[in-house]
Amino acid sequence: MAVRAAVIPAPGEAIEIRTFPDPVLEPGAALLRTTYSEVCGTDVHLFHGRLAGVPYPLIPGHINVGAIEALGGRATDAFGDPLAEGETVTFLDVHGTCNACWYCLVAKATTRCPHRRVYGITYGADEGLLGGWSAKIHLKPGVKIIRLPEGLTPEIAIAGGCALPTAFHAIERGGVGLGDTVVIQGSGPVGLMACALARLSGAQKVIVIGAPAARLGMAKKLGADAIVSIESASEDERLAAIRDLTHGRGADITIEATGNPRAVREGLRMTRDAGIYVIVGQYTDAGSVEIEPHLDINRKHLDIRATWGIDFSHFHRSLHTLARFRDAFPWCDIISRFYALDEAAQALADVEGGRAVKAVLCPNGRAASPIRP
Amino acid sequence: MAVRAAVIPAPGEAIEIRTFPDPVLEPGAALLRTTYSEVCGTDVHLFHGRLAGVPYPLIPGHINVGAIEALGGRATDAFGDPLAEGETVTFLDVHGTCNACWYCLVAKATTRCPHRRVYGITYGADEGLLGGWSAKIHLKPGVKIIRLPEGLTPEIAIAGGCALPTAFHAIERGGVGLGDTVVIQGSGPVGLMACALARLSGAQKVIVIGAPAARLGMAKKLGADAIVSIESASEDERLAAIRDLTHGRGADITIEATGNPRAVREGLRMTRDAGIYVIVGQYTDAGSVEIEPHLDINRKHLDIRATWGIDFSHFHRSLHTLARFRDAFPWCDIISRFYALDEAAQALADVEGGRAVKAVLCPNGRAASPIRP
Amino acid sequence: MAVRAAVIPAPGEAIEIRTFPDPVLEPGAALLRTTYSEVCGTDVHLFHGRLAGVPYPLIPGHINVGAIEALGGRATDAFGDPLAEGETVTFLDVHGTCNACWYCLVAKATTRCPHRRVYGITYGADEGLLGGWSAKIHLKPGVKIIRLPEGLTPEIAIAGGCALPTAFHAIERGGVGLGDTVVIQGSGPVGLMACALARLSGAQKVIVIGAPAARLGMAKKLGADAIVSIESASEDERLAAIRDLTHGRGADITIEATGNPRAVREGLRMTRDAGIYVIVGQYTDAGSVEIEPHLDINRKHLDIRATWGIDFSHFHRSLHTLARFRDAFPWCDIISRFYALDEAAQALADVEGGRAVKAVLCPNGRAASPIRP
Amino acid sequence: MAVRAAVIPAPGEAIEIRTFPDPVLEPGAALLRTTYSEVCGTDVHLFHGRLAGVPYPLIPGHINVGAIEALGGRATDAFGDPLAEGETVTFLDVHGTCNACWYCLVAKATTRCPHRRVYGITYGADEGLLGGWSAKIHLKPGVKIIRLPEGLTPEIAIAGGCALPTAFHAIERGGVGLGDTVVIQGSGPVGLMACALARLSGAQKVIVIGAPAARLGMAKKLGADAIVSIESASEDERLAAIRDLTHGRGADITIEATGNPRAVREGLRMTRDAGIYVIVGQYTDAGSVEIEPHLDINRKHLDIRATWGIDFSHFHRSLHTLARFRDAFPWCDIISRFYALDEAAQALADVEGGRAVKAVLCPNGRAASPIRP
């Protein structure tokens, strides 16, 4: 049976729907019937060809939820527990971390393993159904599959999306805990999830800086104590606002989740002396920024901690955190709209245009929803 | 009896010798007869007025060795052990860390305590004999005095100077240990001491980048496995050299000890993915540098750790380390020349002109030595 | 005017009410009119003479809330902000941490400073009104005073009591955060506060082991996901219960808050391989326990972290955490009864007899309340 | 061709030489011609059947050096670099860490992975030539092979043996560095290697406690500053000796490498307040010890860190450390004697009887050496 998928033929070329044959499942593989696939900022970059090492044509969609439709003999979840047809699962988009290179074995920096491949990003359509904007996804042997934890609906899981484990990693890097005042730069999905997770970690105060108003409103729904709009406040005013909210000292921990290089300088200045500055938003090369190492870093005795990618622990723990705190926030309000597969181009445009905080594709259909700003 | 001291009257004004009355010692104070006082890069900055919060006229000289000449009743070393006249001591230049502010008590970031004062830097001549370019130094109550550990001569102690505890702090921030490949940017006193301490910490390989040749030769004497000259190698060539020396990966830990903002960008690029970049050289505002947060920091998953000032633990431990490893290196070779007090201006000029790696004043006389390049 | 205080004349001797003269306030001192003083397990130990270094006669009461009644000239809070008469404050019972010994300066282990004194414990009545079971308390210069944070009532503050900052320190030592399964041994005030703080830190699951039923009920009110009674379950059953609740692995982090040496062996066995075991309850010498280092510690690759005392950061941060999460739990339900000063002996007996989880003295009167089990 | 190997038929049964057929090499496997195989304390335990999960008959020998004799097609070293016949290599005895279980993926505690198998310990002779007391060893695909780093002879590599990476792990757990006073309990191979590595890490003072005199002499050769004999000093005298050597405080870091449960109590008491106690010697169940949690742990505010097994990073880094510091110590003096394969029982008896610090088997012959006490 033919499988329909949305494909980016080449950087900048219009998305088109193509059909692919059903994959042949090797032993240990599984076939997923896609319920939801996320459309995120990375997909916008992929569309414009801004990431290195991406093979086109490409079926995007790295974070997905679906139901097991078929199994290649005995296939298991990440911990070796056998899967059954019909089970609702998600999976870590990163595949093939080698556990056999210097970065994996000596540095223990597995997110920098050069052999890792990513569904929907570094696996191209020529290699198979390896992206989520498709009615079915071929889960190769070794893909880290997780059953949705008890109480976690597919909707909440996709609301967390790829932003949730990414933010989880950032929170871990920052060591956010009781007593900490946390500033989050950026109100996109990663910033919003960092807001929620900082709140759940017991932070003393959580401040989100971003725009537009709808996203800042979402930040409030996800636990922000204060918000600062970059539309209505200049950089100086923003710095002053943070000082006012932090006894004149700045944040204990600032988490950058903007993708804008200039945010780095501003964020360093928003962090208190001997504080921690976590960079998690600089995922593509958006240029440079001028900083003053003496004033912005050394005299402040800062710790700056970059956050590249996620490993399985972040994926696993963030999903369980989401299940536990399912009722703490209206998580699904972050989903601006559900789109049919045929609307993939529209979904991407809505994300790029800032009309959607988060767009979700339903490759096997679902009543399309009105956009929520 | 009048005390002679070298004074910077005001920023940029010629150093002059002035005389001061003997201080009246309050209870708990001590009077030090200065044997050696260091002339370091900070003093060059002080001469040009590049540091904020410095009161002039100023008696420079923050790191000093001397003999107790008089005591204000019962005066003690840092741990409360009573001092006796004639004992050879040194003391922590930082005085008055309050232990009663948010930074001291909650953040435990005592080097950012706003109440700390520094001998030879933020104490001016109008407040007394509070700098080491003077025949005598007034050690106020609470000054952290240390007897030279057994086996440590005044010459070796001043060879360590203020660079040694500063480098000790940087090594601690970087967590240097067995197996680590360490790149040190800068071959001034801090870089050279970081080189020696990295070597003593069991680092697998220590590479020093700097100039001129004489300083790099000193680096070799202090344990460097490899040196890279910034005079003969361009930035690209230096990066290539580091890659060649590090299996193509970059350093596990890079320590910046240059004071040049541009070194920060270069150093980030010399550090391996998931490595550690320690900033310790950016002690005055020397301007800005353009960095690419995505390429230079986030995609590399770096830790950047700034290092401001020292606390007593760094001073204490580095002196004991120096005593223990007294014979490991020819420490005193770092001292380019001993100068009489009247030669203070010349000493400063030699440091600024790069003719002296380290210049040492002998405020109470000593046969002047020829300069050692 | 005479000040009434409850005094333990000597170990084991009946508590009596004595009167003392109003203290003469030296510059920087303050006089506190005591609103509430806690009666805690430590006071039971003090009554029986189980702590070394305690001078009798003793006015117990180390954690207190009150109103400033008089000032010795300019007196300030811990950060140097001047106090005014009538303000409601609390203060850190630990006084005189020296900041001038090897433990303070080099090890940075200030809770092991040999010079620290403690109100209500190591300051005796012969030295003045230095305990809270007294209508007034003499706050010496240097005592770390904190105004109650906004929104924090004296009742909630005393409900937190000394258990709150102690538990805060334990949570910090354990590094409790999102995703962690936490077992807490003990349902006394420290265990209960650890339960609440683990919950507020975002722990995935919080399990409290203790007795009697009323305290375990309080644990549920303070966020416990599960409780295990030591009255109804044997040690083997308790271990089995923990395994059942933790996927067969044991807790990521176990916090011992019992004071019973045997709990240590049991708790090690309740912790998963490569987990963390925090000891915070072993505050007096209650004897020994037999452990098997191979099975209980090494083969499990455990981290064991002891927790002695608190420093100002724990006191400060825990109070602000309490203020922030004032409405998260019915904190005051931990207070079993308020007692008049004359009922001090009864309060102590109720604590020792397990009839009161927490007893609170009202040295200046308050309608006595019925006991809450 | 038949391969000769020394076999423990069953717990307690006399070692016998058996012959095995040459293994058939699957793709990715390699055949090692054994140059040296270590006889260590673990082998004594294996002989007596003291470890759980060991299949008999068993070819012991977990740490080995040899030459590649044959390859199953393309076989590589641990980092994927193809191997050639004749190369001198060693390999990590741990095989099959799964990278697919909760311990590997979430806890990142790979030494507690339940799927790991160990050459010479948990692989039995019925599964093939999977121990080093054999002329040849079958290196299965996935075994982590390391070429000897430049300058490292097979003799020095086997002198390091399994004790070196184990001690490396312990040093890492303890965070030994400049300024630290380190006490090491035990003068067997692990204690001696910990001594050498502590010295190389720049420790301020290294003290080894053990017996007999010959081993303590070896400790001096490997950098010990002081030694304490358990033969001539009672426990009280040993504690007093440590206090005398540590300004009355105890060690900053104590490393237990004895295997004797009673050493744990003694070692806790030898550690300074707020110090670190590393357990690495408790590798088999040698019973229990009585400790006082209040006095021995909590009042001292200790960190206790257990050390189970090693991962590849410890193996890799310790070998490179050994190569770098090849000339720092007479490493090979730790080898008491080289033995022919037929002398395996004698080698084991010499280790058990304390006549040999380290015994080395030469399965393919070598002139037998006289025993060195």
Side-chain angles (χ1 to χ4, degrees):
Chain A
M1 202 191 86
V3 179
R4 300 179 77 238
V7 173
I8 302 177
E13 284 189 17
I15 289 171
E16 47 188 62
I17 303 296
R18 295 187 183 174
T19 57
F20 295 82
D22 256 344
V24 179
L25 297 183
E26 63 272 54
L31 187 66
L32 196 70
R33 188 172 190 277
T34 316
T35 309
Y36 297 125
S37 184
E38 193 179 10
V39 179
C40 87
T42 299
D43 299 312
V44 174
H45 295 310
L46 291 170
F47 177 69
H48 292 292
R50 291 189 195 123
L51 270 73
V54 176
Y56 295 86
L58 179 77
I59 306 173
H62 45 289
I63 293 291
N64 308 283
V65 179
I68 298 289
E69 180 165 308
L71 295 165
R74 186 181 184 277
T76 71
D77 72 1
F79 296 143
D81 202 19
L83 291 166
E85 289 180 19
E87 290 191 291
T88 301
V89 304
T90 181
F91 65 93
L92 179 64
D93 54 349
V94 176
H95 180 235
T97 304
C98 75
N99 201 29
C101 69
W102 189 88
Y103 285 101
C104 282
L105 291 175
V106 181
K108 298 175 189 175
T110 58
T111 72
R112 296 305 300 148
C113 169
H115 301 103
R116 68 202 318 240
R117 303 290 298 276
V118 188
Y119 271 70
I121 300 180
T122 69
Y123 275 132
D126 292 346
E127 295 180 83
L129 292 171
L130 304 173
W133 296 12
S134 169
K136 299 181 186 176
I137 311 174
H138 179 182
L139 303 181
K140 292 166 174 268
V143 165
K144 305 292 186 202
I145 299 171
I146 297 185
R147 286 181 184 82
L148 292 202
E150 195 185 326
L152 196 57
T153 64
E155 285 74 20
I156 300 177
I158 205 70
C162 74
L164 184 77
T166 303
F168 195 96
H169 192 182
I171 292 287
E172 181 186 278
R173 287 285 277 169
V176 175
L178 297 175
D180 291 321
T181 292
V182 181
V183 163
I184 292 160
Q185 299 178 281
S187 55
V190 174
L192 291 172
M193 288 298 139
C195 169
L197 294 177
R199 190 68 160 84
L200 294 175
S201 299
Q204 187 68 13
K205 189 179 282 185
V206 181
I207 307 163
V208 174
I209 306 173
R215 293 185 178 205
L216 294 175
M218 188 66 209
K220 297 286 279 185
K221 288 188 188 180
L222 291 172
D225 295 285
I227 53 175
V228 177
S229 168
I230 60 171
E231 290 174 338
S232 60
S234 68
E235 181 169 339
D236 282 349
E237 288 167 340
R238 297 193 293 264
L239 285 164
I242 296 302
R243 277 196 302 273
D244 286 350
L245 288 162
T246 59
H247 306 274
R249 292 188 296 256
D252 294 307
I253 301 160
T254 302
I255 297 175
E256 181 280 327
T258 69
N260 184 333
R262 293 215 328 268
V264 172
R265 182 181 58 198
E266 183 174 331
L268 292 169
R269 293 174 183 182
M270 284 174 169
T271 309
R272 70 155 166 95
D273 286 6
I276 296 167
Y277 187 67
V278 178
I279 297 179
V280 65
Q282 306 288 323
Y283 259 71
T284 55
D285 188 1
S288 64
V289 61
E290 206 164 317
I291 59 166
E292 297 180 61
H294 169 65
L295 292 171
D296 295 335
I297 301 178
N298 203 39
R299 203 176 64 166
K300 294 173 75 77
H301 194 76
L302 290 186
D303 267 25
I304 304 174
R305 300 178 187 166
T307 311
W308 185 256
I310 59 166
D311 67 26
F312 181 78
S313 77
H314 308 113
F315 189 57
H316 173 83
R317 292 200 155 172
S318 67
L319 276 171
H320 284 271
T321 291
L322 189 60
R324 173 169 178 73
F325 296 106
R326 184 185 53 174
D327 301 324
F329 304 120
W331 299 96
C332 289
D333 286 6
I334 199 176
I335 301 173
S336 301
R337 207 192 123 186
F338 291 94
Y339 296 79
L341 187 63
D342 296 321
E343 298 173 303
Q346 181 61 43
L348 200 65
D350 285 347
V351 169
E352 183 163 16
R355 286 180 298 277
V357 182
K358 173 171 293 194
V360 173
L361 281 192
C362 310
N364 285 290
R366 183 187 197 276
S369 61
I371 202 161
R372 173 157 48 192
Chain B
M1 201 189 88
V3 179
R4 300 179 76 237
V7 172
I8 302 176
E13 284 188 19
I15 289 171
E16 48 188 62
I17 304 296
R18 295 187 184 173
T19 57
F20 296 81
D22 256 344
V24 178
L25 297 182
E26 62 272 55
L31 188 67
L32 196 71
R33 187 171 190 276
T34 316
T35 309
Y36 297 126
S37 184
E38 194 180 10
V39 180
C40 86
T42 299
D43 299 311
V44 174
H45 295 309
L46 291 169
F47 176 69
H48 293 292
R50 291 189 195 123
L51 270 73
V54 176
Y56 295 84
L58 178 78
I59 306 174
H62 45 288
I63 293 291
N64 310 284
V65 179
I68 298 289
E69 181 165 307
L71 296 164
R74 186 181 185 278
T76 71
D77 72 2
F79 297 143
D81 201 22
L83 292 165
E85 290 181 17
E87 290 191 292
T88 302
V89 304
T90 182
F91 65 94
L92 179 64
D93 54 351
V94 177
H95 180 235
T97 304
C98 76
N99 202 29
C101 69
W102 189 87
Y103 285 102
C104 283
L105 292 175
V106 180
K108 299 176 188 175
T110 57
T111 72
R112 296 304 301 148
C113 169
H115 301 102
R116 68 201 317 241
R117 303 289 300 274
V118 188
Y119 271 71
I121 299 180
T122 68
Y123 274 132
D126 291 346
E127 295 180 84
L129 291 170
L130 304 172
W133 296 12
S134 168
K136 298 182 187 175
I137 312 173
H138 179 182
L139 303 182
K140 293 166 174 268
V143 166
K144 305 292 185 202
I145 299 171
I146 297 186
R147 286 181 184 81
L148 292 200
E150 195 185 326
L152 196 58
T153 64
E155 286 74 20
I156 300 178
I158 204 71
C162 74
L164 184 76
T166 303
F168 195 96
H169 192 182
I171 292 288
E172 180 186 278
R173 288 284 278 168
V176 176
L178 298 175
D180 291 323
T181 292
V182 181
V183 163
I184 292 160
Q185 299 178 281
S187 55
V190 173
L192 290 171
M193 289 297 139
C195 170
L197 294 177
R199 190 68 162 85
L200 293 175
S201 299
Q204 186 68 12
K205 189 178 281 184
V206 181
I207 307 162
V208 173
I209 306 172
R215 293 186 177 204
L216 292 175
M218 187 66 210
K220 297 286 279 185
K221 288 188 189 179
L222 291 172
D225 294 284
I227 53 175
V228 177
S229 168
I230 59 170
E231 290 175 338
S232 59
S234 68
E235 181 170 339
D236 282 349
E237 288 167 339
R238 298 193 293 265
L239 285 164
I242 297 301
R243 277 196 301 274
D244 286 349
L245 288 162
T246 59
H247 305 276
R249 293 189 295 256
D252 293 307
I253 301 159
T254 302
I255 297 176
E256 181 281 326
T258 69
N260 184 334
R262 293 216 326 269
V264 172
R265 181 181 58 196
E266 184 174 331
L268 293 169
R269 293 174 183 182
M270 284 173 171
T271 308
R272 70 155 167 93
D273 286 6
I276 296 168
Y277 187 68
V278 178
I279 297 178
V280 66
Q282 306 289 324
Y283 259 72
T284 55
D285 188 0
S288 65
V289 61
E290 206 163 318
I291 59 166
E292 297 178 61
H294 168 66
L295 292 172
D296 295 336
I297 301 178
N298 202 38
R299 202 177 63 165
K300 294 173 74 76
H301 194 77
L302 291 185
D303 268 24
I304 303 173
R305 300 177 187 169
T307 312
W308 185 257
I310 59 167
D311 66 27
F312 182 78
S313 76
H314 307 114
F315 189 58
H316 172 83
R317 291 200 155 171
S318 67
L319 276 171
H320 284 270
T321 291
L322 189 60
R324 172 168 179 72
F325 296 106
R326 183 186 54 173
D327 301 324
F329 305 120
W331 299 97
C332 289
D333 286 6
I334 199 176
I335 302 173
S336 301
R337 209 192 121 185
F338 292 94
Y339 298 79
L341 188 62
D342 295 321
E343 298 172 304
Q346 181 61 42
L348 200 64
D350 285 347
V351 169
E352 183 163 15
R355 287 180 297 277
V357 182
K358 174 170 291 193
V360 173
L361 282 191
C362 309
N364 285 291
R366 182 186 197 278
S369 61
I371 199 161
R372 172 158 47 191
Chain C
M1 202 190 85
V3 179
R4 300 179 77 238
V7 172
I8 302 176
E13 284 189 17
I15 290 170
E16 48 188 62
I17 303 296
R18 295 187 183 172
T19 57
F20 295 81
D22 255 345
V24 179
L25 296 182
E26 62 272 54
L31 188 65
L32 195 70
R33 187 172 190 277
T34 317
T35 308
Y36 297 126
S37 185
E38 193 180 11
V39 179
C40 86
T42 299
D43 298 312
V44 174
H45 295 308
L46 292 170
F47 176 69
H48 292 292
R50 293 192 193 119
L51 271 73
V54 175
Y56 296 84
L58 179 77
I59 306 173
H62 44 288
I63 293 292
N64 309 283
V65 179
I68 298 288
E69 179 165 308
L71 296 164
R74 187 181 183 279
T76 71
D77 72 1
F79 297 141
D81 201 20
L83 292 165
E85 289 179 17
E87 291 191 290
T88 302
V89 304
T90 182
F91 65 94
L92 179 63
D93 53 350
V94 178
H95 180 234
T97 303
C98 75
N99 202 30
C101 70
W102 189 86
Y103 285 101
C104 282
L105 292 175
V106 181
K108 299 176 189 175
T110 58
T111 71
R112 295 305 300 148
C113 169
H115 301 102
R116 68 202 318 242
R117 303 290 299 275
V118 188
Y119 271 69
I121 299 180
T122 68
Y123 274 133
D126 291 345
E127 296 181 83
L129 292 170
L130 305 173
W133 297 11
S134 168
K136 297 182 187 176
I137 311 174
H138 178 180
L139 303 182
K140 292 166 174 269
V143 165
K144 305 293 185 201
I145 300 170
I146 297 186
R147 286 181 185 82
L148 292 201
E150 195 186 326
L152 197 56
T153 65
E155 285 75 19
I156 301 178
I158 204 70
C162 74
L164 185 76
T166 303
F168 195 96
H169 192 182
I171 292 287
E172 181 186 278
R173 287 284 277 167
V176 176
L178 298 175
D180 291 322
T181 292
V182 181
V183 163
I184 293 159
Q185 299 178 281
S187 55
V190 174
L192 291 172
M193 288 298 139
C195 170
L197 294 177
R199 190 67 161 85
L200 293 175
S201 299
Q204 187 68 13
K205 188 180 285 186
V206 181
I207 307 162
V208 174
I209 306 172
R215 292 187 179 202
L216 292 175
M218 187 67 209
K220 298 285 280 184
K221 288 188 189 179
L222 291 172
D225 294 286
I227 53 176
V228 178
S229 169
I230 59 171
E231 291 174 336
S232 59
S234 68
E235 181 169 340
D236 282 349
E237 288 167 340
R238 298 193 292 265
L239 285 163
I242 296 302
R243 276 197 301 273
D244 285 350
L245 287 162
T246 60
H247 305 276
R249 291 188 297 255
D252 293 308
I253 301 159
T254 303
I255 297 175
E256 182 280 327
T258 69
N260 184 334
R262 291 214 329 267
V264 172
R265 183 182 57 197
E266 183 174 330
L268 292 169
R269 292 173 184 182
M270 284 174 170
T271 309
R272 70 156 166 94
D273 287 6
I276 296 167
Y277 188 67
V278 178
I279 297 178
V280 66
Q282 304 289 323
Y283 258 72
T284 55
D285 188 0
S288 64
V289 61
E290 205 164 319
I291 58 167
E292 298 179 59
H294 168 66
L295 292 171
D296 295 337
I297 302 179
N298 202 38
R299 202 177 63 166
K300 294 173 74 77
H301 194 78
L302 290 185
D303 268 25
I304 303 174
R305 300 177 187 168
T307 312
W308 185 257
I310 59 165
D311 67 27
F312 182 78
S313 76
H314 307 115
F315 189 59
H316 173 83
R317 291 199 157 173
S318 66
L319 276 170
H320 284 271
T321 291
L322 190 60
R324 173 170 179 72
F325 295 107
R326 185 185 53 173
D327 301 324
F329 305 120
W331 299 96
C332 290
D333 286 5
I334 199 176
I335 302 173
S336 301
R337 208 191 122 186
F338 292 95
Y339 297 80
L341 187 62
D342 296 321
E343 298 173 303
Q346 180 61 43
L348 200 63
D350 286 345
V351 168
E352 184 164 14
R355 288 180 297 277
V357 181
K358 174 170 293 192
V360 172
L361 282 190
C362 309
N364 286 289
R366 184 186 196 276
S369 60
I371 200 162
R372 173 157 49 192
Chain D
M1 202 190 87
V3 180
R4 300 179 78 237
V7 172
I8 303 177
E13 286 189 17
I15 289 171
E16 48 188 63
I17 303 295
R18 296 187 183 174
T19 57
F20 295 81
D22 256 344
V24 178
L25 296 182
E26 62 272 54
L31 188 66
L32 195 70
R33 188 173 190 277
T34 316
T35 309
Y36 297 126
S37 185
E38 194 180 11
V39 179
C40 86
T42 299
D43 298 312
V44 174
H45 296 308
L46 291 171
F47 177 69
H48 292 292
R50 292 190 195 122
L51 271 74
V54 175
Y56 295 85
L58 179 77
I59 305 173
H62 44 288
I63 293 291
N64 309 283
V65 179
I68 298 288
E69 181 166 307
L71 296 165
R74 186 181 184 279
T76 71
D77 73 1
F79 297 143
D81 203 19
L83 292 165
E85 289 179 17
E87 289 191 291
T88 302
V89 304
T90 182
F91 65 94
L92 178 64
D93 54 351
V94 178
H95 179 234
T97 304
C98 76
N99 201 29
C101 70
W102 189 86
Y103 285 101
C104 282
L105 292 175
V106 180
K108 298 177 189 174
T110 58
T111 72
R112 295 305 299 148
C113 169
H115 301 101
R116 68 200 319 239
R117 303 291 298 276
V118 188
Y119 271 70
I121 299 180
T122 69
Y123 274 133
D126 292 345
E127 296 181 83
L129 292 170
L130 305 172
W133 296 13
S134 169
K136 298 183 187 175
I137 311 174
H138 178 182
L139 303 182
K140 292 167 174 266
V143 165
K144 305 294 186 200
I145 300 170
I146 297 186
R147 286 182 184 81
L148 292 201
E150 195 185 327
L152 196 56
T153 64
E155 285 74 21
I156 301 178
I158 204 70
C162 74
L164 184 77
T166 302
F168 195 97
H169 192 183
I171 292 287
E172 181 186 279
R173 287 284 277 167
V176 175
L178 298 175
D180 291 321
T181 292
V182 180
V183 163
I184 292 160
Q185 299 178 282
S187 55
V190 174
L192 291 171
M193 289 298 138
C195 170
L197 294 177
R199 189 69 161 85
L200 294 176
S201 298
Q204 187 68 13
K205 188 178 285 186
V206 181
I207 307 162
V208 174
I209 306 172
R215 292 186 179 203
L216 293 175
M218 187 67 210
K220 296 288 279 185
K221 288 189 189 178
L222 292 172
D225 294 285
I227 54 177
V228 177
S229 168
I230 59 171
E231 291 174 338
S232 59
S234 68
E235 181 170 338
D236 282 350
E237 287 167 340
R238 297 193 294 264
L239 285 163
I242 296 303
R243 278 197 301 273
D244 286 350
L245 288 162
T246 59
H247 305 275
R249 293 188 294 255
D252 293 308
I253 301 160
T254 302
I255 297 176
E256 182 280 329
T258 70
N260 184 333
R262 293 216 326 268
V264 172
R265 182 182 58 197
E266 183 173 331
L268 293 168
R269 292 172 185 183
M270 284 174 169
T271 309
R272 72 156 166 92
D273 287 5
I276 296 168
Y277 188 67
V278 178
I279 297 178
V280 66
Q282 306 288 324
Y283 259 72
T284 55
D285 188 359
S288 65
V289 61
E290 206 164 317
I291 59 166
E292 298 179 59
H294 169 66
L295 291 172
D296 295 336
I297 302 178
N298 202 39
R299 201 177 65 166
K300 293 173 75 77
H301 194 76
L302 291 186
D303 267 25
I304 303 173
R305 299 177 188 168
T307 311
W308 184 258
I310 59 166
D311 67 26
F312 181 79
S313 77
H314 307 114
F315 189 58
H316 173 84
R317 291 200 157 171
S318 67
L319 276 172
H320 284 271
T321 291
L322 189 61
R324 174 171 178 72
F325 295 107
R326 185 185 53 173
D327 301 324
F329 304 119
W331 299 97
C332 290
D333 286 5
I334 199 177
I335 302 174
S336 301
R337 206 191 124 186
F338 291 94
Y339 297 79
L341 187 62
D342 296 321
E343 298 173 304
Q346 181 62 43
L348 201 64
D350 285 346
V351 169
E352 184 163 15
R355 288 180 296 278
V357 181
K358 173 170 293 193
V360 172
L361 282 191
C362 309
N364 285 289
R366 185 187 195 276
S369 60
I371 200 161
R372 174 157 46 193

